[in-house]
Amino acid sequence: LQAGDAQGAAAALAQLVDLRPQRHGSMLYLGEALLRLGNRAAAEKAFTRASASANPAFLRLLAQRVYAQNYWQEAIAVLQRALDLQPGHIPTLVQLAKLHWEVYDLTAAETLCQQVLQRDPANGEVRYLLNALPGRRGDAAAHLASVEAHYAELGEPGSRLASSIAMASLYVDDRSPEQLAAQHRQLCAAIEQALPATSSFPNSRDPDRPLRIGLVSGDFHRQHPVNLFMLPLLERLDRQKFPVTVFHTGTMHDAYTARARQAARHWIEAGTLDDRALHQRIGAEQIDVLIDLAGHTTSHRLGVFALRAAPVQATFLGYPHSTGLSRIDWLIGDPIVSPAEHAHLFSEGIAQLPGSVFCWCPVDTYPLPPPRPENAPLVLGSFNNVMKLSPRTIRLWSAVLRALPQAQLLLKAPSLADRSVIERFQGLFSAEGIHPERLAFEGPEGLELMMQRYGAIDIALDPTPYNGGTTTLQALWMGVPVITLLGGNFVSRMGASFLTALGRSDWIAETDEAFVAIACQLAGQLPAIRQGRAALRQQMAHCGLSDLDRYTAGFQQLLRRMWRHHCSGDPSRFLPADTTAPLPTR
């Protein structure tokens, strides 16, 4: 199973199914093998047999593993059984708190954390959760302050708290792009100083030979944004000219993981390898261009890139900002999110794709919802996570609501399943003069249902400074216009990148006043907007934002240009978008 031979694992473990007494550990591994083979029903039976164990330690392991496969309700039930068998057990309480935190049951998570602290006041694990709870509730500034204080207290530059600080800093609206860039560099400088970098590689410098591409990611699963954007591209890359090896650092395996594995030339299960071991494995594969798909997000392996595992290293898709690592050579962006004049904000060189850095090619089918009734009130909306709803965003959206006194605002996000979060945002909008009756709040749903909920929105509002990414593209695909405010760095220019590629630069505002004016203008076109969902989808389907063939060709050309730049020894750090290159035939 660890070597990636799920078929062999299932065959070996199947011989143990009917043994008495049952081998619960074997049932756990059989379930994982069956999941990788796509036999979900049989896997669930195996997991159910495993859950009959009376060993609390094993039940904690089982809960961890099945949660990683998206069985979160079952994982909570298994942990509750472990707690019943061993009441007051601190590791079980901590794990249960983490699970409730992960599924946005924030009040339960906080209660469990307090129970742990009553028994173990110095417990470090719940400190991480309590630091993160303000962010889950939408208070990015409080979350960032807690994490920064914890980081300073620990005095460990290599701590993963550095990435927590970097990620949280993107959500706050009181720091300039220059301040954010400097903080990212400072956080990563300590990491690079502690890790020696490989300085030479045996790779041939032939600029025109097939290039061995490495992808480092644990996110090829479910509806993770990296999977949504990378999987269609991976499936279209030229396997002869750009053979891809995926270093899979995650634990989740589903139908999308299987598709990614089939699309890659090589697939290496790397989740059990530490940074140095993964660095050695990548070197053994003689990868030419190694691409980070995580940045500072949860599943990142930036330590591998700090060690330098390939002659050319790049970061792409997973993190909407410079990583701060000087040993990553290129950030793959576009002329909007990473223009030449912003070079000082990037520790990496800038490599621009033509059009948008993101290409929307949905891996599933989402039918358009029916038009809203003519007499229905105007509904503005956002399905972004609540940490993006910064104080400036609340002020900006409140100004729109004051300018459109008949409009309502629908907010939908996982955290909004928690009543305390709803009450917080009601208070924030009330302070701006917006009555709670004009606000509607919804918690999470499955993706198919969530996509249909865009039918309840007439106009989507993009938050600032952290723009919507996947949510903006989803709204546009479901026929909903989106208004965005152009900001000063990657994370606050994604909306402008999408809308420019779509040919709707008229929905991009450069000031708060212009944002409100665009909202009023669109509100005056409400009948046409409601009847125009199909036309907006068609416009999106036929523009550069969804032209996957041209996007793939541009990406391959950029990979080749990065390699030639390396072979030439050119010290420059800017590769402008090539808008003149012809579309290659496949």
Side-chain angles (χ1 to χ4, degrees):
L1 185 64
Q2 291 179 354
D5 182 7
Q7 189 71 53
L13 292 162
Q15 301 174 61
L16 308 175
V17 168
D18 294 322
L19 289 185
R20 292 292 184 272
Q22 285 195 356
R23 298 173 58 91
H24 301 108
S26 299
M27 292 303 97
L28 165 59
Y29 292 119
L30 177 59
E32 292 188 339
L34 290 167
L35 273 183
R36 295 191 193 187
L37 294 171
N39 193 342
R40 184 164 288 271
E44 290 170 358
K45 290 181 180 179
F47 290 142
T48 299
R49 291 192 180 193
S51 69
S53 171
N55 181 340
F58 173 75
L59 291 175
R60 289 195 296 274
L61 172 65
L62 175 64
Q64 175 187 339
R65 302 295 276 265
V66 298
Y67 174 76
Q69 307 299 337
N70 202 33
Y71 292 105
W72 62 269
Q73 290 177 314
E74 292 82 354
I76 288 175
V78 168
L79 274 183
Q80 192 60 57
R81 182 161 180 268
L83 197 59
D84 293 342
L85 290 167
Q86 202 173 7
H89 186 247
I90 288 176
T92 306
L93 286 169
V94 170
Q95 190 172 347
L96 194 55
K98 289 179 179 178
L99 260 185
H100 280 285
W101 183 86
E102 289 284 355
V103 301
Y104 292 87
D105 188 356
L106 305 180
T107 299
E110 186 172 26
T111 299
L112 287 162
C113 285
Q114 297 302 334
Q115 290 179 22
V116 171
L117 292 179
Q118 289 172 7
R119 295 170 169 83
D120 181 12
N123 189 283
E125 289 189 272
V126 298
R127 173 76 178 274
Y128 288 94
L129 293 183
L130 291 173
N131 285 344
L133 273 172
R136 288 290 210 209
R137 289 180 168 141
D139 191 344
H143 168 47
L144 178 58
S146 295
V147 178
E148 287 179 326
H150 194 187
Y151 179 75
E153 179 185 320
L154 288 178
E156 298 175 4
S159 166
R160 288 181 76 91
L161 279 173
S163 285
S164 297
I165 292 171
M167 188 74 202
S169 70
L170 301 185
Y171 293 89
V172 299
D173 57 12
D174 61 352
R175 299 189 184 184
S176 69
E178 288 75 17
Q179 288 173 318
L180 291 177
Q183 185 173 38
H184 277 69
R185 287 191 178 99
Q186 180 182 6
L187 290 166
C188 288
I191 297 172
E192 291 185 321
Q193 287 170 7
L195 296 173
T198 301
S199 58
S200 62
F201 296 88
N203 307 50
S204 165
R205 288 196 169 218
D206 179 353
D208 299 313
R209 65 174 174 80
L211 293 180
R212 292 180 292 271
I213 309 301
L215 303 179
V216 180
S217 177
D219 297 325
F220 283 109
H221 60 80
R222 293 197 304 252
Q223 297 299 325
H224 193 285
V226 167
N227 179 65
L228 288 175
F229 294 113
M230 192 67 214
L231 180 58
L233 175 60
L234 178 59
E235 290 179 329
R236 282 166 175 77
L237 288 176
D238 188 319
R239 291 170 63 94
Q240 301 304 315
K241 296 180 180 178
F242 302 93
V244 173
T245 298
V246 173
F247 298 92
H248 183 245
T249 57
T251 57
M252 174 72 180
H253 292 78
D254 61 12
Y256 300 106
T257 321
R259 280 178 59 180
R261 183 168 187 159
Q262 185 175 13
R265 174 69 70 87
H266 301 292
W267 182 277
I268 295 173
E269 290 292 342
T272 61
L273 302 179
D274 64 21
D275 285 349
R276 292 186 183 276
L278 180 52
H279 171 266
Q280 291 176 354
R281 185 62 194 273
I282 294 169
E285 297 293 322
Q286 293 192 12
I287 297 300
D288 299 311
V289 181
L290 185 68
I291 302 177
D292 156 57
L293 294 175
H296 287 280
T297 59
T298 304
S299 63
H300 81 75
R301 300 300 295 271
L302 289 179
V304 175
F305 288 83
L307 289 164
R308 184 170 283 281
V312 177
Q313 300 193 139
T315 184
F316 178 52
L317 285 181
Y319 190 65
H321 194 273
S322 168
T323 62
L325 275 178
S326 65
R327 294 174 190 166
I328 293 182
D329 305 293
W330 300 103
L331 178 141
I332 299 175
D334 66 43
I336 302 294
V337 299
S338 54
E341 58 268 26
H342 286 184
H344 64 289
L345 301 177
F346 295 87
S347 57
E348 312 86 355
I350 295 173
Q352 293 179 343
L353 288 166
S356 177
V357 66
F358 298 94
C359 181
W360 175 253
C361 182
V363 296
D364 294 303
T365 302
Y366 306 113
L368 282 170
R372 299 194 68 227
E374 289 184 11
N375 59 350
L378 168 64
V379 177
L380 312 170
S382 168
F383 289 1
N384 287 279
N385 84 66
V386 296
M387 205 153 81
K388 293 186 179 182
L389 306 188
S390 66
R392 184 178 181 188
T393 295
I394 300 296
R395 292 193 299 270
L396 180 61
W397 293 0
S398 296
V400 172
L401 288 168
R402 289 194 297 270
L404 298 169
Q406 303 306 314
Q408 299 175 354
L409 177 63
L410 170 61
L411 300 177
K412 184 177 183 63
S415 294
L416 295 173
D418 193 295
R419 184 65 200 173
S420 67
V421 181
I422 293 175
E423 291 173 353
R424 178 178 182 274
F425 281 101
Q426 286 176 330
L428 291 172
F429 277 100
S430 291
E432 295 291 332
I434 306 303
H435 195 277
E437 290 182 357
R438 298 185 64 189
L439 307 172
F441 300 92
E442 294 183 4
E445 289 182 292
L447 183 64
E448 293 77 11
L449 292 174
M450 187 206 76
M451 293 295 279
Q452 288 305 303
R453 285 302 290 155
Y454 280 107
I457 294 176
D458 295 306
I459 302 166
L461 305 179
D462 199 16
T464 188
Y466 200 135
N467 289 172
T470 308
T471 50
T472 295
L473 292 167
Q474 288 170 337
L476 293 169
W477 187 246
M478 300 308 289
V480 180
V482 180
I483 309 170
T484 192
L485 181 67
L486 180 68
N489 58 3
F490 191 134
V491 72
S492 60
R493 299 171 70 90
M494 292 189 291
S497 174
F498 304 149
L499 293 175
T500 299
L502 180 62
R504 297 311 310 238
S505 57
D506 53 319
W507 296 344
I508 303 171
E510 296 192 12
T511 65
D512 292 12
E513 294 75 16
F515 190 99
V516 175
I518 295 170
C520 293
Q521 182 180 23
L522 287 175
Q525 304 166 3
L526 197 56
I529 286 174
R530 288 177 173 173
Q531 295 300 321
R533 286 181 182 265
L536 181 53
R537 174 174 285 193
Q538 284 298 309
Q539 182 181 2
M540 189 172 178
H542 293 96
C543 76
L545 192 57
S546 297
D547 190 339
L548 187 58
D549 286 336
R550 185 166 292 278
Y551 181 77
T552 303
F555 185 77
Q556 292 182 162
Q557 289 162 357
L558 190 58
L559 291 175
R560 179 65 62 188
R561 292 172 66 201
M562 287 191 292
W563 182 250
R564 287 175 177 160
H565 187 279
H566 165 73
C567 293
S568 71
D570 186 343
S572 65
R573 292 169 55 79
F574 181 61
L575 293 176
D578 184 356
T579 58
T580 62
L583 179 65
T585 57
R586 297 185 68 250

